Amino acid sequence: MIVATTQFFRRRTGQAIIPQTRPYHADHDNAPDPSSRCGDTLREVFSLGLARDARAAAELAEKTASRLRGSERQYAGAAYDLDRARAFWLGVAGEIDKAVSQLEDLLANLLQERPGDSEAFDVRSDIAYWRGESGDAAGALRLLEQLLVDVVAALGQDAPCALWVRNNIAFRRALDGDLKKALEEYRDILADYEGVFGVESRDVLMVRNNVAFWRGHSGDTAGALGLFEQLLVDSVAVLGRGDLYALFTRDNVAYWRGFSGNVRGALEQYRVLLGDCEFLLGEKDYYTLAIRLQIGLWSGVAGDLDYAVESLSRLLPDVEGELGSDHELGQSVRHQMARWYGARGDTRKAVSLLEPLVADQTRTFGEKDYRTLASQGLLSRYSR
């Protein structure tokens, strides 16, 4: 499963250009598979979390897990999946300390009740991920490196779990700025993934996504675009044009085309992609709304400031009506609206948008989060 949540990797103050397809984090984005033992209940948890309310999703997972935990032994595995889901949505909701505590309790129970169970590796990976998200990058990397040692000892170096952990180590290293070493690791990982899964597997396509993504963020935008263009050809051939991952890859091709300087070409691709997303996913789907944000953003970059402001103004009530007023996507729309209001000279309107946005982002993410800092940077600029 790929959880479609926006990631911001352009961290310069006031420059929130947003590539929608993020690097793929193995172990399914640190979330248990909603098609697993819990069936409809876990799918309901994820639908609730993705649509609007991460805290409500965590509460539903906790309530259901508590009920299952006291029932017959055959439901124990389902309760573990729901406990993991609860921790995931707590983390998404910003309650990372609670998420880590929940996972540590879950790990202790697993080791006591089911020693040697490989699910403990998944939980340890989750703990490392959320440690990193809490700001403890070095601690997260240490946990992942020790996890890799243990996985290789238990399952062998070619086990899929070992490859996923290696992917996550490279992901963490790249996220923390060591792009050169991360790219070296990804190239080795890609060769091993191809040997284990086959060159046409979805897992291999995901690792190729990572190589292209981080190559672009290392400064080689033309190289990233070339890799994504070839990845798109192969993704469509393997998965079909309507596959969600193929849509993500088209998004990345458009993004890096624009970032390489062909802004008009990027906008043309985004408009075609929007039509396909509306047809395949629906007008109110998260990803469809995110593509509308990209069109507004790149319209501003192209110099069409009036259209950028107009299209983002139409988008905001749709996003907030579907996802809620505190959702990250809505805050991105508000940031971009302020950005383009300011760029066309209406600094008073920009400030009126940014002041409550900074307050909301500080409450949601904290004052040192890069999203908050980006909006604070714009506010400082336009307040002057």
Side-chain angles (χ1 to χ4, degrees):
M1 182 190 70
I2 303 172
V3 179
T5 54
T6 303
Q7 288 275 348
F8 299 75
F9 286 99
R10 305 305 301 175
R11 298 193 180 188
R12 296 185 185 131
T13 299
Q15 300 296 319
I17 290 180
I18 310 161
Q20 289 299 315
T21 304
R22 59 179 186 236
Y24 172 66
H25 189 279
D27 298 335
H28 312 297
D29 288 324
N30 285 77
D33 187 346
S35 65
S36 67
R37 291 165 297 203
C38 307
D40 292 340
T41 301
L42 194 53
R43 282 192 290 273
E44 183 181 353
V45 168
F46 274 82
S47 295
L48 181 61
L50 286 171
R52 183 180 293 271
D53 195 335
R55 287 184 177 84
E59 290 170 3
L60 176 60
E62 180 182 19
K63 179 179 178 180
T64 309
S66 297
R67 187 176 68 248
L68 291 176
R69 202 174 288 110
S71 62
E72 298 179 15
R73 183 69 182 174
Q74 67 197 58
Y75 293 106
Y80 279 117
D81 283 347
L82 284 161
D83 283 337
R84 243 186 113 202
R86 179 197 175 206
F88 175 79
W89 288 112
L90 283 171
V92 171
E95 299 185 49
I96 294 178
D97 289 342
K98 287 185 179 180
V100 171
S101 177
Q102 166 85 13
L103 289 165
E104 288 175 341
D105 289 345
L106 176 58
L107 178 61
N109 290 336
L110 271 173
L111 295 176
Q112 180 179 357
E113 297 178 15
R114 292 151 60 182
D117 195 312
S118 62
E119 286 192 6
F121 294 144
D122 293 333
V123 177
R124 289 172 62 184
S125 179
D126 292 355
I127 292 170
Y129 176 83
W130 290 114
R131 287 285 187 200
E133 290 297 290
S134 73
D136 184 9
L141 190 56
R142 284 195 301 271
L143 290 173
L144 286 170
E145 289 173 337
Q146 183 57 56
L147 175 59
L148 179 60
V149 171
D150 295 343
V151 169
V152 170
L155 303 176
Q157 63 182 2
D158 290 332
C161 184
L163 296 177
W164 295 336
V165 176
R166 287 172 61 193
N167 179 92
N168 292 349
I169 289 172
F171 172 93
R172 173 53 56 189
R173 211 183 298 281
L175 201 60
D176 296 333
D178 191 354
L179 295 182
K180 181 178 180 181
K181 187 169 184 179
L183 281 169
E184 292 172 355
E185 291 176 340
Y186 270 128
R187 292 185 187 103
D188 292 339
I189 293 167
L190 178 58
D192 293 340
Y193 261 75
E194 290 175 341
V196 172
F197 294 109
V199 295
E200 293 188 346
S201 74
R202 185 181 293 269
D203 294 272
V204 168
L205 296 174
M206 296 297 184
V207 177
R208 288 175 59 187
N209 173 89
N210 290 1
V211 173
F213 185 96
W214 292 116
R215 185 164 171 178
H217 283 280
S218 72
D220 185 3
T221 55
L225 177 59
L227 290 175
F228 275 121
E229 287 175 333
Q230 185 57 55
L231 177 59
L232 177 57
V233 172
D234 297 340
S235 298
V236 170
V238 173
L239 304 172
R241 185 175 176 83
D243 184 88
L244 186 61
Y245 181 70
L247 296 178
F248 287 173
T249 307
R250 289 170 62 190
D251 183 352
N252 251 340
V253 170
Y255 171 82
W256 288 105
R257 188 176 301 283
F259 207 70
S260 298
N262 186 359
V263 176
R264 295 294 180 187
L267 274 170
E268 290 174 6
Q269 289 183 287
Y270 271 124
R271 290 189 175 109
V272 174
L273 178 57
L274 176 61
D276 290 344
C277 287
E278 289 175 337
F279 176 75
L280 294 167
L281 305 175
E283 293 183 355
K284 295 184 178 181
D285 181 81
Y286 167 88
Y287 195 64
T288 303
L289 297 172
I291 295 301
R292 289 175 61 188
L293 169 58
Q294 290 282 22
I295 291 174
L297 185 159
W298 287 105
S299 295
V301 174
D304 193 349
L305 305 184
D306 290 339
Y307 181 79
V309 168
E310 177 190 349
S311 62
L312 292 167
S313 298
R314 291 197 308 269
L315 173 60
L316 183 60
D318 293 342
V319 171
E320 292 186 338
E322 191 65 25
L323 303 175
S325 59
D326 273 346
H327 196 279
E328 185 179 45
L329 185 62
Q331 293 179 350
S332 299
V333 176
R334 291 161 64 190
H335 177 101
Q336 291 299 327
M337 286 174 62
R339 179 183 180 186
W340 301 120
Y341 268 119
R344 75 176 190 179
D346 192 349
T347 57
R348 181 171 297 181
K349 181 63 175 179
V351 168
S352 72
L353 288 167
L354 287 164
E355 286 178 338
L357 175 59
V358 169
D360 290 343
Q361 289 179 318
T362 301
R363 172 175 49 83
T364 305
F365 306 119
E367 63 181 9
K368 295 183 179 180
D369 185 88
Y370 54 87
R371 289 159 288 200
T372 307
L373 293 174
S375 297
Q376 182 63 61
L378 280 183
L379 178 59
S380 299
R381 180 192 307 172
Y382 294 136
S383 295
R384 292 194 298 266

